[in-house]
């Protein structure tokens, strides 16, 4: 029986996923470093066939419109690199590391079909975008970005270390742009997360068999 590990940032996200399906779900902390450490520790204790980074996230509404869910075609470390007078240079442009993980195409397609999620790039940032200028800079560098969050790349790095396929699923709680924390629609996003994992479990297909 295939085993799937879902890694969220906080307890509320963990509980939302668990309410949808009885997978192993871990609240691994906020940010890429906490996510990588927690995921690597979990994968060292037990092997899994799939790791899913899941939670709420900011949406690029020019691409998403009012659609509430995103599945990552690529998981991109959007602020891992160097600022230069000519602009941002990703870590790969500096000659080392990686800045992108690519989930299995077939699984991305299956998730999109089962949940209605929009496939696109999901950016991992260490600082939540809070201005229109920053949002525009990200859009220019990442024309296929559909969402940003803070953990996907960390989860993906740990999964890669353990040679385990990875996915990222984000329910949109707020637009990527000028900060307005009071307007974040967290309960709605958590409900969308529950519905997504419930839909995946109901497919009855591997690797979603709980
Ligand atoms: O206050 C709450 O009830 C609550 C419930 C669930 C989650 C939270 C969080 O604040 C989670 C932090 C988490 O959210 C992701 N996130 C959400 N929007 C963005 C964004 O625009 N840019 C980057 N990250 C975002 C992120 O992955 C954080 O881990 C609160």
């Amino acid at each position: 029986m295939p085993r799937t590990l879902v890694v969220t940032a906080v307890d509320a996200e963990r509980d939302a996923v668990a309410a949808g399906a009885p997978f192993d779900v871990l609240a691994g902390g906020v940010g890429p470093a906490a996510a990588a450490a927690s995921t690597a520790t979990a994968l060292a204790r037990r092997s899994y066939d799939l790791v899913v980074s899941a939670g709420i996230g900011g949406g690029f509404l020019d691409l998403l419109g009012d659609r509430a869910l995103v599945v990552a075609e690529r998981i991109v470390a959007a602020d891992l690199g160097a600022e230069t007078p000519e602009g941002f240079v990703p870590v790969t442009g500096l000659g080392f590391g990686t800045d992108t993980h690519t989930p299995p195409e077939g699984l991305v397609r299956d998730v999109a079909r089962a949940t209605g999620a929009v496939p696109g790039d999901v950016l991992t940032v260490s600082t939540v975008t809070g201005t229109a200028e920053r949002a525009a800079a990200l859009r220019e560098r990442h024309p296929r970005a559909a969402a940003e969050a803070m953990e996907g790349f960390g989860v993906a790095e740990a999964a890669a270390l353990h040679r385990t396929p990875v996915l990222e699923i984000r329910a949109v709680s707020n637009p990527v742009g000028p900060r307005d924390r009071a307007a974040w629609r967290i309960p709605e996003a958590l409900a969308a997360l529950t519905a997504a994992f419930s839909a995946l479990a109901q497919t009855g297909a591997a690797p979603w068999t709980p």
Side-chain angles (χ1 to χ4, degrees):
M1 181 78 77
R3 296 187 63 86
T4 296
L5 172 67
V6 184
V7 183
T8 68
V10 301
D11 292 354
E13 295 167 317
R14 179 198 60 204
D15 296 347
V17 171
F23 299 121
D24 287 0
V25 193
L26 165 71
V30 172
S38 308
T39 305
T41 302
L43 293 176
R45 287 197 181 124
R46 154 176 244 164
S47 79
Y48 286 88
D49 300 286
L50 175 67
V51 181
V52 185
S53 172
I56 66 173
F60 286 88
L61 301 193
D62 56 340
L63 190 148
L64 280 182
D66 60 2
R67 293 172 296 178
L69 200 69
V70 173
V71 57
E73 287 182 308
R74 297 187 304 175
I75 300 169
V76 181
D79 54 13
L80 185 62
E83 288 291 353
T84 76
E86 290 74 40
F88 178 78
V89 179
V91 72
T92 48
L94 302 173
F96 43 75
T98 179
D99 62 1
T100 303
H101 290 279
T102 305
E105 230 176 89
L107 285 182
V108 172
R109 215 173 24 243
D110 291 348
V111 171
R113 192 176 300 132
T115 66
V118 177
D121 288 354
V122 177
L123 310 184
T124 301
V125 292
S126 291
T127 303
V128 175
T129 297
T131 64
E133 291 73 22
R134 173 80 177 148
L138 287 173
R139 166 54 76 222
E140 195 177 327
R141 288 210 301 270
H142 303 285
R144 292 160 56 192
E148 74 163 34
M150 302 176 77
E151 293 80 26
F153 189 78
V155 172
E157 284 281 86
L161 197 66
H162 287 269
R163 301 182 193 286
T164 307
V166 70
L167 287 176
E168 182 168 7
I169 299 173
R170 290 285 163 183
V172 174
S173 53
N174 57 282
V176 174
R179 181 168 175 78
D180 181 6
R181 185 64 168 77
W184 284 29
R185 295 164 61 91
I186 291 176
E188 292 86 346
L190 294 175
L193 212 52
T194 301
F197 278 89
S198 172
L200 288 169
Q202 280 169 33
T203 65
W208 307 112
T209 38

